[in-house]
Amino acid sequence: MATVVFVGQINDIDRLTEFALFIQKLYSDSLNTTNFENLKEFAANQEYFQVIKETIETFNFFTKLFDEKNDEKTIEVAVQLFSSLFVKLNDSQKDKILQSILKQLEQIPVSREVLWFKATNLLYHLFPLNSINRYHIFSLVLSFCIKHNIAERVSPYFDRIGGWLAVWNTNNEQTRNLYKLAYFVSKLETNKIITHKAGLKFLQSLENAPEKELNLYINESIEIILLAISLPSIFLFDNLFQLRAIQQLNQTQHGKLLNLLHIFVSGSLSTFKAFSDSNVQLFNEYKLSKEDCERKIRLLTLVTLANQNTKLSYSTIAHELQIESEQIEYFLISAIGNQIVEGRIDQMNSIFIVRYTVTRSFDRENWEQLKSKLTQWTFNVEHLLTTLRENKLISKKTNIKI
């Protein structure tokens, strides 16, 4: 088909008429005269909704437009013109026609990928920020990416999903669906940190899911556990372990994997070694490297020690981590590099001075400690402000400036 170019500033009637003529050219080889006459009549009467409805439901506009015989310029201009008509509809009319549009876009081949993303992006921005229709369009985009193994176009937006869902005011089922789609897209990523984050968000969204639905995602729960254990930069497991989707594994044949995860939450190297010696086959079954797991547990054991002490002697570190003295600084540097501890290595005195460490698990006791610290901090600030006010009053009486 030859390129169709729309030029200049056109009024509403001209825009509708020009669009109708474009439909005529698009269907020149199979045009139903009666249907086209109806379309022209709707255009002449400026019946925007009927023009759009006829274009989508009778002429299958997007399916036909993205045909391989139409060139890129034709598609881009036609989508722009369609959008200029669509935006004239009221919210109710847009709602009625959107699902038919999405069904057609769903069938577009991946060979039109670039143009497809341009069209869906334009359609997405035709709706207000808080429109639930943005949810439907973004869901379609994620489904398209899963179907055609595309991740890089959407994964940069995953961190925004939580904010979008709040603005769109999605229900629980819609929230779970979007996080599920995002997780499946993230599995296509080479950067598995993105996959881990998306997987954790998906499992968190299942917290209010019915038991029957929760049971559908046992395999996904296992995948996310294995990913967390395997990734060398993941050291916090408490938020994963507490989730319902993870805890349900205790009632399945995967209970021992849950036991292993619990060791990563709060266990020591000794605990891990006792477990691994009794469950050699587990590491083969789940394709886990026992050596990599042991190295991570050593670092987590160091975190526990750093939480309990402000100064750690080299001898204590060597004993608890079960390493040779020449390996101590290697593990300390590794822990600092992974940002799970901060401190100073005192080689002269063979000690590590702890400045900061992450918390492996945050339970009720930790919350009580935090509450106590915040209460004390509040008291100190109030005492300071009271002292300043009193000093200010004294200075006024004695004419002393402070």
Side-chain angles (χ1 to χ4, degrees):
M1 178 178 178
T3 299
V4 178
V5 179
F6 305 98
V7 296
Q9 296 292 321
I10 55 178
N11 59 37
D12 288 351
I13 294 178
D14 289 342
R15 183 183 287 110
L16 287 161
T17 303
E18 196 151 13
F19 185 68
L21 291 173
F22 173 76
I23 296 297
Q24 185 178 27
K25 291 179 181 179
L26 189 65
Y27 282 83
S28 58
D29 55 345
S30 59
L31 186 67
N32 182 305
T33 305
T34 302
N35 289 337
F36 180 65
E37 290 302 321
N38 290 338
L39 184 65
K40 283 202 301 183
E41 184 178 344
F42 293 142
N45 294 329
Q46 298 187 55
E47 296 181 53
Y48 284 95
F49 177 67
Q50 291 301 331
V51 169
I52 294 294
K53 187 173 185 291
E54 192 79 5
T55 299
I56 295 299
E57 296 182 357
T58 302
F59 292 99
N60 295 313
F61 175 69
F62 283 100
T63 303
K64 187 72 174 179
L65 180 64
F66 279 84
D67 190 283
E68 293 292 341
K69 70 180 182 180
N70 295 323
D71 59 45
E72 184 173 328
K73 185 65 176 177
T74 296
I75 295 173
E76 286 189 356
V77 174
V79 170
Q80 288 282 354
L81 185 57
F82 175 87
S83 299
S84 72
L85 302 179
F86 188 81
V87 77
K88 298 282 188 178
L89 305 184
N90 61 43
D91 291 344
S92 175
Q93 291 171 333
K94 289 176 182 176
D95 292 345
K96 288 178 183 177
I97 207 68
L98 180 63
Q99 290 306 316
S100 297
I101 295 174
L102 297 183
K103 284 180 182 178
Q104 290 181 26
L105 288 171
E106 189 178 359
Q107 304 305 317
I108 305 304
V110 71
S111 58
R112 294 295 203 177
E113 174 192 339
V114 175
L115 291 167
W116 188 91
F117 277 103
K118 286 182 178 179
T120 50
N121 182 59
L122 184 58
L123 184 63
Y124 178 90
H125 286 96
L126 292 178
F127 292 95
L129 290 174
N130 63 346
S131 172
I132 192 63
N133 287 321
R134 286 195 167 199
Y135 159 81
H136 294 304
I137 296 167
F138 191 60
S139 296
L140 172 70
V141 170
L142 293 176
S143 297
F144 184 87
C145 290
I146 294 167
K147 182 178 179 180
H148 299 296
N149 297 322
I150 302 166
E152 66 279 0
R153 286 187 177 274
V154 292
S155 56
Y157 298 99
F158 284 171
D159 288 339
R160 302 186 191 180
I161 289 178
W164 288 343
L165 290 171
V167 171
W168 298 335
N169 195 27
T170 53
N171 60 38
N172 290 333
E173 184 178 352
Q174 290 169 330
T175 297
R176 293 195 294 270
N177 179 61
L178 203 67
Y179 276 125
K180 179 181 73 173
L181 291 173
Y183 172 58
F184 287 144
V185 172
S186 76
K187 289 169 69 173
L188 304 169
E189 272 283 353
T190 54
N191 183 352
K192 292 306 175 183
I193 292 293
I194 294 175
T195 310
H196 173 261
K197 288 176 66 177
L200 187 58
K201 286 288 187 183
F202 170 48
L203 294 188
Q204 288 170 342
S205 74
L206 294 173
E207 283 296 276
N208 52 21
E211 199 70 31
K212 187 176 180 180
E213 182 179 352
L214 202 66
N215 293 336
L216 297 174
Y217 300 112
I218 288 176
N219 289 337
E220 284 72 21
S221 298
I222 293 169
E223 288 172 1
I224 295 163
I225 289 175
L226 297 178
L227 192 59
I229 290 174
S230 301
L231 283 170
S233 59
I234 301 298
F235 290 94
L236 299 180
F237 297 88
D238 190 41
N239 54 350
L240 178 61
F241 182 77
Q242 294 175 12
L243 298 176
R244 286 178 62 215
I246 298 300
Q247 286 299 314
Q248 71 173 334
L249 298 181
N250 204 32
Q251 310 302 321
T252 71
Q253 70 270 32
H254 304 287
K256 286 186 177 180
L257 180 62
L258 187 63
N259 295 338
L260 176 61
L261 179 63
H262 188 254
I263 294 173
F264 279 92
V265 173
S266 58
S268 65
L269 179 61
S270 298
T271 311
F272 172 77
K273 284 195 167 185
F275 176 87
S276 60
D277 290 344
S278 304
N279 298 278
V280 177
Q281 277 304 114
L282 179 138
F283 294 90
N284 295 327
E285 180 184 349
Y286 292 106
K287 297 182 173 59
L288 286 170
S289 166
K290 182 180 174 182
E291 292 73 23
D292 290 344
C293 288
E294 188 171 306
R295 180 182 179 279
K296 184 179 280 193
I297 286 291
R298 278 195 168 94
L299 289 170
L300 289 170
T301 301
L302 178 62
V303 168
T304 299
L305 291 172
N307 267 295
Q308 297 169 348
N309 306 273
T310 56
K311 291 183 181 180
L312 292 171
S313 67
Y314 278 21
S315 59
T316 298
I317 295 172
H319 174 73
E320 295 295 332
L321 271 60
Q322 301 177 29
I323 56 176
E324 300 297 328
S325 57
E326 58 266 21
Q327 294 179 286
I328 294 171
E329 291 183 4
Y330 163 78
F331 273 95
L332 288 172
I333 292 169
S334 180
I336 293 170
N338 280 289
Q339 299 180 338
I340 54 176
V341 298
E342 285 182 14
R344 180 166 63 87
I345 299 173
D346 185 343
Q347 292 178 316
M348 184 173 294
N349 296 303
S350 296
I351 60 172
F352 178 66
I353 302 168
V354 180
R355 294 199 189 100
Y356 161 81
T357 179
V358 297
T359 301
R360 291 179 67 179
S361 61
F362 212 82
D363 53 22
R364 185 176 183 83
E365 183 181 349
N366 295 115
W367 281 113
E368 290 297 330
Q369 290 174 356
L370 179 60
K371 180 182 177 181
S372 176
K373 288 179 180 179
L374 288 173
T375 301
Q376 184 61 47
W377 178 82
T378 303
F379 172 80
N380 291 340
V381 170
E382 288 175 348
H383 179 70
L384 177 61
L385 290 172
T386 300
T387 302
L388 287 171
R389 282 193 292 267
E390 289 174 352
N391 289 340
K392 192 171 183 180
L393 287 172
I394 293 170
S395 68
K396 283 182 179 180
K397 292 178 180 180
T398 58
N399 293 320
I400 299 174
K401 292 183 179 180
I402 61 169

